[in-house]
Amino acid sequence: MLRLETIICTFSVLSVAARADFMARNCSEVREACFERGFAFAHVPHQEIPGEDLRVCTHKHTCCTQEMEDKFSQQSKQEIENLLDETSHTLRSTFVSRHKRFDGFFLELLENTERSLNEMFVRTYGKPYMQNSEVFENLFAELKRYYTGGNVNLEEMLNDFWSRLLERMFTLLNSQYVITEDYLECISKYTDELKPFGDVPRKLKAQVTRAFIAARTFVQGLSVGREVAQRVSKVNSTPACIRGLTKMLYCPFCRGMPRVKPCKNYCLNVMKGCLANQADLDPEWNQYIDALLLVAQRLEGPFNIESVMEPIDVKISEAIMNMQDNSAQVSFRVFQGCGQPKLAEIPRSARGASDVLNARFRPYSPEEPPTAAAGTSLDRLVVDIKEKLKLSKKFWSSLPEAICVEDKVTAGNASDEDCWNGDTKGRYFPEVQKDGLTNQMNNPEVGVDITRPDTLIRQQIMALRVMTNKLRNAYNGNDIYFQDTSDEGSGSGSGSGCTEGCTTDMYSAATETPVVRADRSGPAQDSAPLSASSIALPTMLALLALALHQQWR
């Protein structure tokens, strides 16, 4: 009797154990999870099957077929691409929208300024302006061409503008004479010495060049950031990365635990391996962001293109008035150097040019602001972009943390014992690797060849490095395209050479590009013939200027 009871008890225990083993091997929860995820498998096992055919989720018994594992790998690749796209969406949209906004603002500012100048000069100067308006149209066309990336030397272009304006003004103010092309070329030799427009050209050149250099380089910088962010967020994952992702995201299905999420540190190691090349972008990216912020500071202060362009018609009008006020002295000195031109047989106009040009420029009325570019001011745009740029620092190295967030991918820090550790449900023990390619040599989850950096990422690093250099030059008022072309002694090209001590005073000359010096006592106090020593240097410089001038025209 006792033996029978022992046999019955043993049989009962074995039955319970067999039933428990059967429950552990049941794959019904996996079938439900696959259906919920939208997988359409030809066959999902009802119970565990031998797993010798699997390549990633290797285990003695499994709820996965080889078809399921293959589709899980494909889905893992798609999911990491989606996660990377979703995580970088805010960054990419920031650069896209802010580039569009700044670019639209600057272009509209140029259009509004040209329109305002034209309207005011027509009202102020009338017919003489309209007959010579192409000089001003060419000025704005070249400014726009420079801003949009054209190969324009701002200093040479502005010098040419003042030379052309001098030719037109001298002809108007001496309409009783026949002024030939050869005579106009002679006049240009004395432009720097006589300063017919006063100090306006020098001051305006410094303001315009450094403001346009900053504006163009800043918008180019935003464009580079936009392109880098878009390209890096689309980098293809390596086979080793896909394998690590599949093991992390879908091997729990094969173990009959589809609801168990990866451990946080496990996820971090997988992502640090998968995104090792992206993390290497961070040092150059941070320097690029810092350089953008520096130029943004300039746009708020001494290089504010809005502050330069809005009163440009006032400044040009002031120069015209200087020329008119000193026309007798200027003409006298030119006649001494270039000879007396022939009198015209028939007067060109019954009305003197001085009568036409005697109207002083009228300022804008408060009811008609000169610009409303893009519906906002540059200061507000800069404040907005600075906030966004600061948030984007260290973006690429922080991607693993951004992706491995609780409830999105991982089980979170609070569930260390109830998360998938790559083999079963339990705590994940390996330490989290540092960022970057060289730190993935011993990554336990993703095999990374640290000797083969991603080519596309390296190209983006170089693009950022080049743009950072341009931005730093723009911060100092320098255009690196023309750093060696200036013959005025600054050695800094189109820019003003402005450094840390830049003042916001629009007429500060302390940091502006020096010009060839001439007698500052003015022609009114000295009507003697131009001496050989005073003519020699401008004449030598003019020979080169004339050659460039003829080529330009």
Side-chain angles (χ1 to χ4, degrees):
M1 187 71 177
L2 180 61
R3 181 178 297 178
L4 179 62
E5 290 177 355
T6 301
I7 293 173
I8 293 174
C9 182
T10 302
F11 179 77
S12 299
V13 170
L14 291 174
S15 297
V16 171
R19 190 178 300 111
D21 184 54
F22 174 80
M23 292 298 294
R25 292 187 288 109
N26 191 288
C27 299
S28 59
E29 191 176 358
V30 176
R31 295 170 61 87
E32 293 175 6
C34 288
F35 179 79
E36 292 171 3
R37 295 285 189 95
F39 289 108
F41 296 124
H43 172 66
V44 177
H46 290 279
Q47 294 181 348
E48 286 185 333
I49 59 175
E52 63 267 11
D53 293 334
L54 303 185
R55 296 183 297 273
V56 179
C57 302
T58 56
H59 204 267
K60 186 176 181 180
H61 300 289
T62 180
C63 286
C64 291
T65 63
Q66 188 172 346
E67 176 210 11
M68 293 172 64
E69 187 184 60
D70 289 342
K71 288 192 177 181
F72 285 153
S73 293
Q74 296 171 13
Q75 183 63 23
S76 296
K77 182 177 185 297
Q78 185 64 49
E79 285 189 25
I80 185 59
E81 291 174 356
N82 292 342
L83 284 168
L84 194 54
D85 182 78
E86 179 184 339
T87 307
S88 63
H89 173 75
T90 300
L91 178 75
R92 289 182 286 112
S93 62
T94 294
F95 277 89
V96 169
S97 62
R98 273 29 178 210
H99 172 268
K100 182 178 180 180
R101 192 174 298 177
F102 270 91
D103 190 47
F105 177 88
F106 291 141
L107 289 173
E108 189 175 344
L109 178 65
L110 271 173
E111 293 173 2
N112 289 347
T113 304
E114 182 178 9
R115 183 172 58 252
S116 296
L117 182 144
N118 181 69
E119 291 172 356
M120 292 309 226
F121 275 34
V122 167
R123 192 153 63 238
T124 303
Y125 300 117
K127 188 176 180 181
Y129 164 73
M130 290 185 285
Q131 290 175 336
N132 298 278
S133 60
E134 72 275 7
V135 176
F136 300 90
E137 292 170 2
N138 290 338
L139 169 66
F140 282 96
E142 289 301 298
L143 287 174
K144 183 175 181 180
R145 191 162 76 89
Y146 172 83
Y147 169 73
T148 54
N151 188 21
V152 178
N153 186 315
L154 284 176
E155 285 191 354
E156 291 181 2
M157 184 273 291
L158 290 169
N159 289 339
D160 187 68
F161 164 74
W162 292 111
S163 296
R164 286 172 175 263
L165 187 59
L166 173 60
E167 294 173 5
R168 303 301 178 94
M169 286 287 298
F170 189 87
T171 303
L172 278 174
L173 294 169
N174 294 276
S175 57
Q176 69 273 30
Y177 296 105
V178 177
I179 308 297
T180 64
E181 287 293 325
D182 290 339
Y183 199 86
L184 290 176
E185 290 182 8
C186 181
I187 293 173
S188 65
K189 298 177 183 179
Y190 305 114
T191 302
D192 288 336
E193 182 180 355
L194 296 177
K195 295 189 179 299
F197 299 110
D199 211 25
V200 173
R202 183 182 66 84
K203 293 175 178 178
L204 197 59
K205 179 167 65 175
Q207 296 161 14
V208 169
T209 52
R210 66 193 190 186
F212 268 81
I213 289 167
R216 179 171 87 160
T217 309
F218 189 75
V219 170
Q220 287 177 343
L222 291 177
S223 176
V224 167
R226 177 192 64 190
E227 294 302 317
V228 168
Q230 289 177 341
R231 288 170 183 168
V232 174
S233 64
K234 302 297 182 183
V235 171
N236 291 327
S237 300
T238 64
C241 170
I242 301 302
R243 179 184 177 89
L245 287 167
T246 304
K247 184 178 179 181
M248 180 181 78
L249 297 173
Y250 287 104
C251 284
F253 282 64
C254 299
R255 293 299 311 278
M257 299 177 283
R259 312 295 179 185
V260 179
K261 290 187 175 183
C263 301
K264 175 72 176 289
N265 288 350
Y266 175 36
C267 176
L268 288 175
N269 272 340
V270 172
M271 289 303 166
K272 283 176 182 285
C274 286
L275 303 176
N277 284 282
Q278 283 87 336
D280 280 350
L281 193 72
D282 232 27
E284 207 64 50
W285 176 265
N286 293 338
Q287 292 187 50
Y288 153 78
I289 294 296
D290 287 337
L292 269 178
L293 289 169
L294 287 174
V295 178
Q297 291 176 12
R298 290 293 200 230
L299 290 175
E300 287 181 305
F303 297 0
N304 189 316
I305 192 173
E306 193 173 24
S307 299
V308 171
M309 293 306 292
E310 284 186 1
I312 197 170
D313 40 17
V314 180
K315 304 306 177 187
I316 294 175
S317 179
E318 178 185 339
I320 291 173
M321 293 306 174
N322 288 337
M323 173 70 180
Q324 181 186 350
D325 291 343
N326 298 296
S327 61
Q329 293 90 339
V330 171
S331 297
F332 181 74
R333 298 290 294 274
V334 169
F335 291 161
Q336 286 182 321
C338 298
Q340 189 86 10
K342 294 181 180 180
L343 286 169
E345 295 181 3
I346 302 175
R348 298 185 182 182
S349 173
R351 184 183 181 189
S354 295
D355 294 330
V356 175
L357 296 173
N358 64 2
R360 290 288 176 179
F361 185 77
R362 295 191 295 272
Y364 295 110
S365 62
E367 293 78 17
E368 299 179 20
T371 59
T376 184
S377 72
L378 181 59
D379 287 340
R380 289 198 294 273
L381 283 176
V382 172
V383 169
D384 170 72
I385 190 64
K386 284 171 65 177
E387 294 176 355
K388 299 294 190 299
L389 290 174
K390 290 174 183 177
L391 293 174
S392 71
K393 292 191 69 173
K394 299 183 179 179
F395 175 81
W396 303 104
S397 61
S398 65
L399 274 175
E401 283 284 352
I403 291 175
C404 296
V405 294
E406 188 175 357
D407 296 330
K408 185 177 182 180
V409 174
T410 68
N413 295 324
S415 307
D416 288 344
E417 300 291 346
D418 298 321
C419 57
W420 173 254
N421 63 15
D423 182 62
T424 187
K425 185 169 71 171
R427 184 181 295 273
Y428 181 78
F429 291 100
E431 69 174 307
V432 177
Q433 304 299 298
K434 295 180 181 180
D435 299 313
L437 187 64
T438 58
N439 290 315
Q440 306 310 311
M441 181 182 295
N442 298 315
N443 191 309
E445 310 305 336
V446 179
V448 181
D449 186 350
I450 65 172
T451 66
R452 299 182 62 184
D454 186 272
T455 303
L456 179 61
I457 298 293
R458 301 300 135 174
Q459 290 173 348
Q460 305 316 303
I461 289 174
M462 287 304 302
L464 288 173
R465 191 168 295 162
V466 170
M467 194 66 244
T468 300
N469 186 42
K470 290 181 181 179
L471 288 163
R472 287 171 176 168
N473 274 276
Y475 172 73
N476 291 321
N478 300 329
D479 189 343
I480 63 174
Y481 296 105
F482 299 108
Q483 278 189 334
D484 298 322
T485 64
S486 175
D487 59 2
E488 293 187 344
S490 67
S492 59
S494 297
S496 65
C498 184
T499 56
E500 291 289 345
C502 262
T503 175
T504 57
D505 181 5
M506 297 301 294
Y507 273 103
S508 172
T511 57
E512 293 169 359
T513 307
V515 297
V516 177
R517 297 296 178 183
D519 183 4
R520 292 188 178 274
S521 60
Q525 288 77 30
D526 182 12
S527 59
L530 298 172
S531 66
S533 61
S534 64
I535 294 176
L537 180 59
T539 302
M540 292 173 64
L541 294 175
L543 291 175
L544 178 58
L546 284 172
L548 295 172
H549 174 67
Q550 290 299 323
Q551 183 179 0
W552 183 273
R553 300 187 62 187

